[in-house]
Amino acid sequence: MQYKIQVNQNLEIFDVDYVAKQAAGAVLMRIGKSVILAAVAREEKMVEEDFLPLTVQYIEKAYAAGKIPGGYIKRETKPSDYETLTARIIDRSLRPLFPKGYAYPTQISVIVLSADNEVDLQVMSLNAASVALFLSDIPIKAPVCGVRIARIAGEFILNPSNTQLKQSSLDLYVAGVKDELLMIEMRALPTQNDTTQAMNELSEDEILEALTLAQKAILEGSNAYEENFAKHKKQSELEFKSEEENLELFAFIEQNFTDEIKNAINQMAKSERAGELNKIAKTISKLETAEQKAWSEEDIFKALEKIKRKIIRKQIIFERKRADSRALNEVRNISIETNILPNAHGSCLFTRGQTQALVVATLGTENDAQMIDLLNEKNPISERFMVNYNFPGFSVGEASAIKAPGRRELGHGNLAKRALYPSIDENYPFVIRLVSEILESNGSSSMATVCGGSLALRAAGVHSLKLVAGVAMGLVFEEDKYAILTDIMGLEDHDGDMDFKVAGSKDGVSALQMDIKLGGIDKKILTEALNQAKEARLHILEIMEEANAKIKINDEILPKLEIFNVEPSKIVDIIGQGGKTIKDIIEKFEVCIDLDREKGEVKISASKNEQIKAAKEFIFTLTQTQKNKKFKDKDLSNFKLGEEFEGEIKKITNFGVFVGLKDGVDGLLHSSKIKHKVREGDRMRVKIKEIKNGKISVDLVG
């Protein structure tokens, strides 16, 4: 059956009971020329572990855009970073909907079958997955709806086209159900005019205004999906895991071991805290009471974890006290060291409490840019600013091997990139790569990456528009009361109800990410959280400004760059036949060269200025547009191959000497032909070897 729904400025067409009918729930969704299949499958048997076994896959088929996959293997293989990040967004938006005690392995597959260049595939994919999940027998109270908000010329735009988004100063992606917000991703986008670049952060009030528009649209979409598809929803006969609590065990531990648990909570590192709880569990298991009651060590440890959570939350709500004795709005101690790596272009060791990030900046040329294939772009995109985030096991005391980055690492790196990108001047000539090595983690290593990354850029001599800092906020609800926490540590993240990360400069927010665990957030609380985050951000920025003033840049190891222009028609001369000329220049002068055929722009970079100067001089001579411009219009018809001249050396360069022939015309004798030291004014006998593109090359005679 087909449904056509006009919602949030889109005509959305859904086919139900049409494809993938053996899945628990499936839908084919169309907007414009985009077609997406979303299917939900689940196993019949619950897992024994206490977690939600949900996996989300987002897959873009190359045929959806009339393409054949690049590379040696002509088929879709490993998911791209964009696919992984999109799957993560869908997961974060849908996960809060699953009922407590649901433990069936569940797979949500979202496959792009046809792609319209103007349709937002991320928003469409979430909504398709939401409807497919709602149609299944998994008891979801209502469908999630996702929307995107842009801002063009000061006006907020709901669900912009991809072309409109490129003109926007805001990219705000929001998911929710009914009037509850579940997930927020926001980034400021830089805008460029002829002379300056603006960073375009948003104030807290502007963010709330945009979220109000998103909330209304989400309510409209969620209601529309529910009204149209409720009659197709499968009846649920699923059983759920009951909260098996051994009340006697709980009472025994609370009565006899509360002080020990509080001491364990004060062991702030995850590894230390877990170790202390394990010791308590072993102690209890050896007691005569435990043996008589047949309490297993595993049951005791689970009870300890729940009592620990209860203590932490009640302590925060009713005593306004945190495990490390900080005030609710207090940031942990911060220390910053810059350029501690002598041979790296720029580095910053940022430590906040027990979270430590070593962020390293490297500058490169256009050849170092990351090429990305996007389904709705005809040509690959050149990514000139990259942020890579690494989270080794030792950072939390775990003995695990270092592996390829997973969804979490990609997500944290992407968040830091979104926060820092608006601070990069788009006219900055170098390609930039930031790598964040998390050396210690106890809460919000992604925000430590933002802070360390902003200073690592400055340490590498990058003139970023503003310093950017980030802070992670938390929220705890208990008995109709709540507390907002600044700079949460791992313990508060694990046992809290919200993870809310805010990054920006002193003038506003550049990136924001929110995930809710309890199913929605009130706007009043969100406003408080934003304002409390602003106070923390300004405090951190003040410390960062002090560190910035003390930076000593490693000038001698930074790459050097010069940009100049030649006549666009002369670019072919620099390239040479089959690229031979430019290869020779690169090898001879040990430089990197990037050319812009349309503008006639030449970028030369090297480790030393002398190399750049010599290569530039050679190119000017080659193209005869600068120092040798006077030769450009010379008539060379009076010169013949093999003709000999006794000439004076007019100029000596790294690549050869110029010998005067006749009529004010010089010939170039390549340095490889010169066997002894020469000086300007010396005379030598040469013969014409080549006449090409208004230039004469000569060889020695004899």
Side-chain angles (χ1 to χ4, degrees):
M1 187 175 293
Q2 190 173 89
Y3 290 86
K4 296 182 179 180
I5 305 173
Q6 188 71 41
V7 59
N8 293 334
Q9 302 182 359
N10 283 325
L11 175 61
E12 301 179 353
I13 302 172
F14 294 88
D15 286 296
V16 180
D17 294 329
Y18 177 57
V19 295
K21 291 191 275 293
Q22 294 190 49
V27 68
L28 199 67
M29 181 180 179
R30 306 168 193 262
I31 298 179
K33 294 181 180 178
S34 285
V35 181
I36 286 179
L37 168 65
V40 178
R42 65 165 185 81
E43 298 291 341
E44 294 294 333
K45 186 179 178 181
M46 288 190 284
V47 296
E48 294 182 3
E49 296 81 8
D50 185 20
F51 75 104
L52 172 59
L54 172 66
T55 306
V56 178
Q57 281 187 302
Y58 169 81
I59 301 167
E60 292 183 340
K61 296 294 184 179
Y63 57 69
K67 297 179 180 180
I68 294 174
Y72 184 75
I73 301 174
K74 300 298 181 182
R75 67 175 299 162
E76 292 82 3
T77 52
K78 179 186 174 184
S80 67
D81 286 1
Y82 178 82
E83 288 173 298
T84 301
L85 292 169
T86 302
R88 196 168 184 261
I89 285 174
I90 297 170
D91 185 305
R92 287 163 47 207
S93 302
L94 298 182
R95 189 172 285 268
L97 296 182
F98 284 79
K100 194 171 184 180
Y102 181 90
Y104 298 90
T106 303
Q107 175 82 43
I108 300 177
S109 301
V110 182
I111 305 174
V112 180
L113 305 176
S114 180
D116 186 324
N117 289 343
E118 291 300 326
V119 174
D120 188 332
L121 294 176
Q122 282 191 331
V123 170
M124 185 178 172
S125 295
L126 172 59
N127 292 336
S130 171
V131 171
L133 182 61
F134 183 65
L135 291 171
S136 74
D137 62 347
I138 300 169
I140 303 300
K141 63 178 181 180
V144 162
C145 177
V147 297
R148 196 183 297 274
I149 306 291
R151 185 171 66 171
I152 302 174
E155 294 290 325
F156 290 119
I157 309 279
L158 175 64
N159 284 338
S161 67
N162 288 333
T163 297
Q164 287 177 312
L165 190 60
K166 290 176 182 178
Q167 302 164 359
S168 174
S169 60
L170 168 69
D171 178 6
L172 173 65
Y173 186 109
V174 190
V177 57
K178 298 292 185 175
D179 59 352
E180 297 178 343
L181 301 182
L182 298 175
M183 193 279 303
I184 302 172
E185 285 244 349
M186 171 244 147
R187 59 172 174 157
L189 298 172
T191 56
Q192 187 87 25
N193 59 31
D194 293 336
T195 56
T196 60
Q197 180 186 343
M199 188 165 159
N200 284 335
E201 314 98 306
L202 268 72
S203 69
E204 283 72 15
D205 289 340
E206 288 172 320
I207 291 172
L208 291 168
E209 183 184 349
L211 288 174
T212 299
L213 174 60
Q215 193 171 29
K216 290 178 180 176
I218 287 168
L219 178 61
E220 178 187 340
S222 187
N223 284 338
Y225 296 152
E226 185 176 33
E227 289 167 10
N228 282 276
F229 303 119
K231 56 181 170 288
H232 292 285
K233 181 165 181 58
K234 296 177 182 177
Q235 292 298 313
S236 177
E237 298 179 357
L238 298 176
E239 296 180 357
F240 303 112
K241 283 190 173 182
S242 60
E243 192 73 27
E244 294 181 2
E245 294 187 0
N246 188 326
L247 298 180
E248 190 178 15
L249 174 58
F250 265 58
F252 179 82
I253 294 175
E254 283 188 317
Q255 185 176 351
N256 297 284
F257 290 91
T258 297
D259 290 340
E260 286 85 347
I261 296 171
K262 285 184 177 180
N263 289 333
I265 290 170
N266 290 330
Q267 302 294 322
M268 300 318 303
K270 176 183 173 182
S271 56
E272 294 172 347
R273 187 171 61 249
E276 289 299 311
L277 289 176
N278 271 318
K279 287 179 184 177
I280 298 170
K282 288 182 183 297
T283 299
I284 296 172
S285 67
K286 293 176 182 177
L287 294 176
E288 185 178 341
T289 304
E291 293 177 358
Q292 290 174 351
K293 302 291 185 181
W295 294 334
S296 70
E297 193 172 311
E298 183 181 352
D299 291 337
I300 294 169
F301 187 81
K302 286 181 180 178
L304 285 170
E305 281 285 344
K306 290 177 181 177
I307 294 170
K308 176 207 72 173
R309 184 176 189 272
K310 180 180 175 182
I311 290 172
I312 290 167
R313 294 170 66 86
K314 288 201 169 185
Q315 189 172 276
I316 289 170
I317 292 291
F318 299 107
E319 299 176 32
R320 314 304 282 179
K321 180 183 174 184
R322 301 168 74 171
D324 59 355
S325 301
R326 272 187 296 152
L328 301 190
N329 64 347
E330 186 179 347
V331 178
R332 287 170 289 180
N333 290 334
I334 292 172
S335 69
I336 300 171
E337 297 176 71
T338 54
N339 279 342
I340 64 171
L341 304 179
N343 212 34
H345 291 164
S347 59
C348 175
L349 183 65
F350 182 90
T351 308
R352 185 191 60 242
Q354 288 184 315
T355 295
Q356 187 177 66
L358 174 62
V359 190
V360 185
T362 308
L363 309 181
T365 67
E366 298 296 328
N367 293 332
D368 296 311
Q370 175 70 60
M371 303 305 293
I372 302 173
D373 271 317
L374 296 177
L375 206 58
N376 51 16
E377 295 285 348
K378 291 182 180 179
N379 300 312
I381 302 297
S382 179
E383 190 65 64
R384 303 184 73 256
F385 177 56
M386 298 163 275
V387 179
N388 300 142
Y389 168 100
N390 298 315
F391 191 89
F394 63 74
S395 65
V396 288
E398 293 178 357
S400 58
I402 295 175
K403 299 179 181 178
R407 289 190 177 191
R408 181 179 180 278
E409 285 82 1
L410 292 176
H412 282 17
N414 184 58
L415 175 58
K417 176 184 172 182
R418 292 160 74 97
L420 293 169
Y421 176 68
S423 73
I424 306 296
D425 187 339
E426 289 196 339
N427 292 319
Y428 187 68
F430 286 106
V431 168
I432 304 169
R433 181 187 183 222
L434 284 177
V435 179
S436 176
E437 309 287 1
I438 303 303
L439 306 183
E440 190 176 357
S441 179
N442 186 10
S444 193
S445 52
S446 63
M447 294 297 94
T449 297
V450 171
C451 300
S454 187
L455 286 167
L457 291 172
R458 293 287 179 92
V462 178
H463 301 294
S464 56
L465 302 175
K466 298 173 186 177
L467 284 177
V468 176
V471 63
M473 310 296 292
L475 179 68
V476 175
F477 269 99
E478 200 73 36
E479 299 180 17
D480 297 326
K481 296 184 179 181
Y482 68 89
I484 299 169
L485 308 177
T486 294
D487 181 24
I488 58 173
M489 48 193 175
L491 185 70
E492 295 163 339
D493 184 12
H494 182 268
D495 292 327
D497 299 315
M498 180 185 76
D499 181 13
F500 187 44
K501 299 183 176 78
V502 187
S505 73
K506 59 183 176 60
D507 298 315
V509 177
S510 62
L512 184 154
Q513 179 178 292
M514 183 194 80
D515 292 297
I516 287 288
K517 302 175 187 176
L518 46 77
I521 184 172
D522 182 88
K523 189 183 286 187
K524 174 179 174 291
I525 298 173
L526 186 58
T527 304
E528 285 185 44
L530 279 169
N531 290 330
Q532 194 166 312
K534 181 179 180 180
E535 292 177 8
R537 187 172 77 248
L538 294 177
H539 166 73
I540 297 169
L541 281 167
E542 189 176 335
I543 299 171
M544 289 173 62
E545 289 286 1
E546 293 174 6
N548 180 58
K550 299 175 183 176
I551 289 175
K552 294 181 180 179
I553 297 173
N554 297 333
D555 279 313
E556 53 201 42
I557 66 166
L558 291 180
K560 311 300 185 289
L561 177 72
E562 188 161 346
I563 303 174
F564 58 92
N565 288 81
V566 299
E567 290 181 18
S569 62
K570 296 295 184 181
I571 293 292
V572 294
D573 295 335
I574 300 174
I575 296 172
Q577 187 173 5
K580 183 179 185 302
T581 304
I582 193 169
K583 288 177 183 175
D584 288 345
I585 298 172
I586 290 170
E587 289 177 8
K588 181 170 185 58
F589 300 106
E590 297 180 342
V591 296
C592 292
I593 300 176
D594 294 304
L595 304 173
D596 188 321
R597 288 174 179 263
E598 293 183 5
K599 298 178 183 177
E601 184 180 83
V602 181
K603 290 182 184 178
I604 305 179
S605 60
S607 59
K608 296 180 181 178
N609 282 321
E610 292 78 10
Q611 296 166 289
I612 295 175
K613 184 178 178 182
K616 179 181 178 181
E617 195 174 328
F618 181 88
I619 289 173
F620 275 158
T621 302
L622 187 68
T623 58
Q624 298 185 0
T625 58
Q626 295 289 331
K627 294 182 180 180
N628 295 314
K629 192 172 181 179
K630 61 184 180 181
F631 301 147
K632 181 180 177 184
D633 299 318
K634 296 292 183 182
D635 182 7
L636 303 182
S637 60
N638 294 327
F639 292 87
K640 297 179 182 179
L641 293 177
E643 189 174 0
E644 296 185 5
F645 295 92
E646 177 81 26
E648 180 183 318
I649 297 176
K650 300 289 188 181
K651 186 175 183 180
I652 300 174
T653 69
N654 287 348
F655 50 85
V657 300
F658 289 94
V659 181
L661 304 180
K662 67 178 180 178
D663 301 330
V665 175
D666 296 342
L668 173 63
L669 177 65
H670 196 271
S671 57
S672 62
K673 305 292 184 182
I674 302 171
K675 305 302 182 185
H676 55 82
K677 188 174 181 179
V678 294
R679 294 174 296 179
E680 289 185 12
D682 288 353
R683 299 187 67 80
M684 59 175 54
R685 190 161 188 80
V686 295
K687 63 180 178 181
I688 295 176
K689 174 187 175 185
E690 184 180 49
I691 303 173
K692 185 177 180 182
N693 297 327
K695 301 184 292 294
I696 295 178
S697 297
V698 297
D699 270 343
L700 285 170
V701 175

